[in-house]
Structures are given as structure tokens and as C-alpha cells.
Amino acid sequence: MFETLRPLPQDPILQLMQTFRDDPRPDKVDLGIGVYKDDAGNTPIMTAVQDAERRLLEGETTKSYVGPAGSAGFNNAMAELILGSNNPLIRDRRASVIQTPGGCGALRMAAEFLRLCKPDIKVWVSTPTWANHLPLLGGAGLTIREYPYLNPKTLQVDFGAMLETLEQADPGDVVLLHGCCHNPSGADLSLAQWQDITGLIQRKGLLPFVDMAYQGLGEGLDADAAGLRHLAGEVPEMLVAASCSKNFGLYRERTGALALISATATVNAAATSQLLSVIRSHYSMPPAHGAAIVETILGDDGLRSAWQKELNGMCQRILHLRHAFADSLSSVGDFSFIARQRGMFSFLGVSPEQVGQLRKEHGIYMLDSSRLNVAGLNDLVLPQVAASIREVLVQ
Ligand code: LMR
């Protein structure tokens, strides 16, 4: 049976990661996959994570099963991180949070759950969106619709076009929004725009689904969640997929969470039981280690403040790199949008041929779409990268 299968190309982001690793040039620069890099070009283990792991190694007493929802301590801590401590949704038991294998696990389990609620459900995603949203949601059988988000000429949010298209959505349709640090564009909604979208969602009876993969890396933990929290406070139902890959640097530990908000505590208990049954039939229960690290950090004042300080340092460094990068390209065009955008990614706005030239002739790796990871830059390589881009652009 297997001989009928044709080989598939790898996911473009993962393929680029491999091509970069295979490139023997010592001065190559990886601006492809979304991982944070320090001044030395390494993706470090955060200090609080190392300390928490040490504590876990010494204090862990069992490796017994945790159950489909994962650790209750992690889930409570994540509920407060996402929704804010003292959020009435938590107090009123209208919100439940369950641990998932990464943000991807949360996205996929949410999609399976949504199909269970409504087999012909449609989900509206931004154009562009993270490429893996499509197989994660579409693979679960959801019908994908697109709403325009980024004006390809200005590389800024085309909010008018977004609203106009979402007016065509039917009641019960799902709208996927990026909580902050939009991937791939870095162009985020302002709080006023979140308020407008909230109004549209309420008026049309849509179900909001927020992907929160970069909380803390845009402007700060609370600022990045402000739009999501506003929305959560206004609508009866909502889903949030959160990732600890970037803000805790736990990429390979596959640590994430899915928040389910319902109109009442009774509805939430029933909906959560359905979600847990979906999980049991997919992977039974999530891996424990990454969540145990997060739970240890968030549950200890010292570790928590060390983590926040380091995360804030990463966030400020990305903002600095955004400004320095935009300035270094100012002689060949207006790249000020890069300084205004948030999180790891921006489009450079060059052609696939120019992206190819940068890769081939200069060892600079970014996605074919010209999405680049600003957090892959540092003050040492930035002049070299900027000089190469300027050279390619003036040809
Ligand atoms: C990215 O967009 O580069 C990251 O989210 C990593 C991934 O899995 O694609």
C-alpha cells in the first residue's frame, strides 16, 4: 500500500532551517525560522528555566500520568498569564485552560473541538497568516476562508478591507486573530482596532479564536494581551491557543495551552469535558516536562521576576534591532514600518529573486516571501546584513 505514496516537500520554514544548517559558510545569517537569538547568535536557555529544571531534577518524585488536561498548577498559572490575574472569567469559572503539546497542539485540538461543535464550521484566517495555520485547522476538516489583513504595498494593516470582508461572515463562523506579533508580518492591531473587531464579532455572532504565540515579545506581557483581554471581556465564547515556545524559550519541549471561554460555568464544564475527550482520542495526555518548568517559574516569586526581566530584555532588544535595522536601510528606501512593527517578524518587501540572491550570494536566509526574523539579527551581523540588502536592492 505504501508504494502508492509520493514524497512530499518539507514545510518551507523547516526546509529553510535545514538548508541553513547544511550551509558550510561561516558568515551565514539565519533570519528564517522564528527563534530568538542572542548577541552571539545562540538561542540560549533562559536562566529561570535552567534554575527551574535544577529544582525539578532534585524535587521530582514521580513520572506517573498527569491526565488529558495536564497539570492543574500550570493551567491556573497560564490562565492568569493570558487573561490577567483577577480576571472575573477565571473567578466565575467561565474560562478553563488545559495544557497542550505546544501552541500547535492547542490549535489542532481547538480545531477538532470546533468541528465537533459544528461539522461544517468555517474559520476565517488573515491573509497572510502563519503557513502552518492552514494544515493545522484545515486538516481537522474546518473550511478555511481568508480575510485581507496586510496591504502588500504599504506592509501595514488594511483594517478597512479586513472589516469589510468579515462583514460577509455568517453567524457561528470562527475568526482567527493573532494576539500580538502577527506572524508573518509583525503588523499588529491597535487597541482601538481590537475594540472595533470586538464590536463586529458581537454584532455578527462570530466566535473569536486568538493565537497567542508571542506574548511578552511585542511590548510586554500585559500590553501584548490587552486586545485579547478586551475581547474576552465582551464576548460569550472564545478560544485562545497559547505557546510557551518563544516567551519561555521552550521550543523543543512542546509546551502550550488552550483556553476555552464559555457563557456560563455550567456550559464551560460540559465543553471542557468534550475537549478532554477529543484530547484523549488524539494523544491521550500532554508531555509534562516543559509545563512543569513553566509552573515552577510562575509559582515562585524569585524565578518569576528573573524570567520577566530576561523576557523584557529580549523584547527591548528586538525593539532596538528593529530601529537599527530600519535606519540601516534608510538610504535605499522607507523601511520605517519595520521599526513600527512588533515581535520577531517583518516582511522586507523584496522579490523572491532578491531573497534567492541574498541567500546564494550573501548567505542571508529568510523565507521566500521575504519574511525575516528580526530576532535573528544582532549588532555584530546587522551591518553586514544591511550592506548585503542595500547591494541587492540597488542593482
Ligand atoms: C515560525 O513561524 O518560524 C515559527 O512559528 C516556527 C514554526 O514552527 O514555523
Side-chain angles (χ1 to χ4, degrees):
M1 189 188 341
F2 299 161
E3 68 276 5
T4 61
L5 299 173
R6 296 274 165 270
L8 278 179
Q10 257 209 74
D11 168 278
I13 297 177
L14 302 184
Q15 173 67 61
L16 192 70
M17 177 175 84
Q18 192 55 49
T19 314
F20 176 82
R21 284 181 181 167
D22 295 343
D23 186 336
R25 287 176 285 184
D27 57 350
K28 62 187 176 174
V29 181
D30 182 14
L31 307 178
I33 191 158
V35 293
Y36 179 85
K37 301 217 178 108
D38 64 14
D39 277 333
N42 300 319
T43 302
I45 304 176
M46 294 176 84
T47 311
V49 168
Q50 283 176 326
D51 288 347
E53 281 194 303
R54 250 179 246 117
R55 288 190 197 183
L56 285 170
L57 195 64
E58 284 160 15
E60 212 169 33
T61 53
T62 183
K63 295 284 185 193
S64 182
Y65 291 122
V66 282
S71 160
F74 169 83
N75 295 339
N76 292 337
M78 287 301 288
E80 294 197 353
L81 193 68
I82 299 164
L83 296 170
S85 49
N86 304 322
N87 190 312
L89 290 167
I90 303 173
R91 183 197 61 212
D92 300 343
R93 300 189 175 277
R94 283 187 50 210
S96 58
V97 172
I98 55 152
Q99 179 191 329
T100 56
C104 287
L107 285 161
R108 183 55 178 247
M109 288 306 101
E112 299 286 350
F113 169 78
L114 287 168
R115 198 170 50 95
L116 193 80
C117 297
K118 192 167 175 250
D120 61 347
I121 199 158
K122 296 197 290 275
V123 55
W124 294 78
V125 304
S126 64
T127 306
T129 196
W130 179 43
N132 208 25
H133 276 150
L134 305 180
L136 279 169
L137 305 179
L142 272 51
T143 303
I144 310 269
R145 293 272 184 277
E146 296 183 28
Y147 60 85
Y149 183 79
L150 195 77
N151 179 325
K153 290 207 178 74
T154 62
L155 297 177
Q156 304 195 28
V157 177
D158 190 345
F159 194 58
M162 175 180 179
L163 289 182
E164 199 179 306
T165 302
L166 287 176
E167 283 292 346
Q168 296 160 27
D170 295 316
D173 283 2
V174 179
V175 185
L176 184 73
L177 299 163
H178 296 225
C180 65
C181 308
H182 184 268
N183 180 5
S185 73
D188 282 346
L189 298 177
S190 67
L191 189 55
Q193 289 171 330
W194 275 96
Q195 287 161 349
D196 287 351
I197 278 288
T198 301
L200 183 144
I201 285 171
Q202 285 176 295
R203 181 164 47 77
K204 294 203 60 83
L206 310 179
L207 177 67
F209 182 8
V210 179
D211 186 1
M212 187 55 132
Y214 297 87
Q215 187 181 357
L217 287 165
E219 297 192 343
L221 282 168
D222 289 325
D224 290 349
L228 175 162
R229 289 176 189 170
H230 169 76
L231 180 56
E234 301 293 323
V235 293
E237 295 180 337
M238 175 164 152
L239 290 165
V240 182
S243 170
C244 301
S245 294
K246 328 279 172 166
N247 53 9
F248 286 87
L250 287 172
Y251 307 89
R252 64 174 62 171
E253 301 294 356
R254 310 313 301 142
T255 309
L258 176 58
L260 175 64
I261 295 168
S262 317
T264 66
T266 313
V267 175
N268 197 257
T272 305
S273 74
Q274 293 276 348
L275 181 59
L276 293 176
S277 160
V278 168
I279 284 168
R280 178 68 168 151
S281 68
H282 279 81
Y283 54 79
S284 186
M285 47 193 88
H289 187 63
I293 294 169
V294 171
E295 184 178 339
T296 305
I297 292 172
L298 295 180
D300 178 280
D301 288 346
L303 289 181
R304 189 188 181 107
S305 72
W307 166 69
Q308 278 185 352
K309 198 162 163 231
E310 193 166 352
L311 177 63
N312 191 43
M314 290 158 66
C315 177
Q316 294 306 319
R317 188 167 161 273
I318 293 174
L319 289 171
H320 154 74
L321 287 166
R322 285 190 166 279
H323 283 275
F325 188 46
D327 287 350
S328 69
L329 297 176
S330 60
S331 62
V332 286
D334 181 6
F335 290 88
S336 58
F337 62 89
I338 294 177
R340 287 193 300 276
Q341 291 169 348
R342 292 293 175 260
M344 289 189 173
F345 308 115
S346 279
F347 284 117
L348 189 57
V350 302
S351 68
E353 291 71 34
Q354 289 168 318
V355 169
Q357 202 180 339
L358 284 164
R359 198 177 303 160
K360 198 158 162 259
E361 295 171 16
H362 302 271
I364 295 167
Y365 284 71
M366 63 187 79
L367 303 191
D368 289 345
S369 60
S370 88
R371 185 199 83 168
L372 56 82
N373 173 20
V374 182
L377 288 168
N378 58 58
D379 287 330
L380 221 62
V381 299
L382 196 144
Q384 168 210 337
V385 170
S388 304
I389 293 171
R390 289 197 301 266
E391 190 183 317
V392 167
L393 283 180
V394 295
Q395 276 170 11

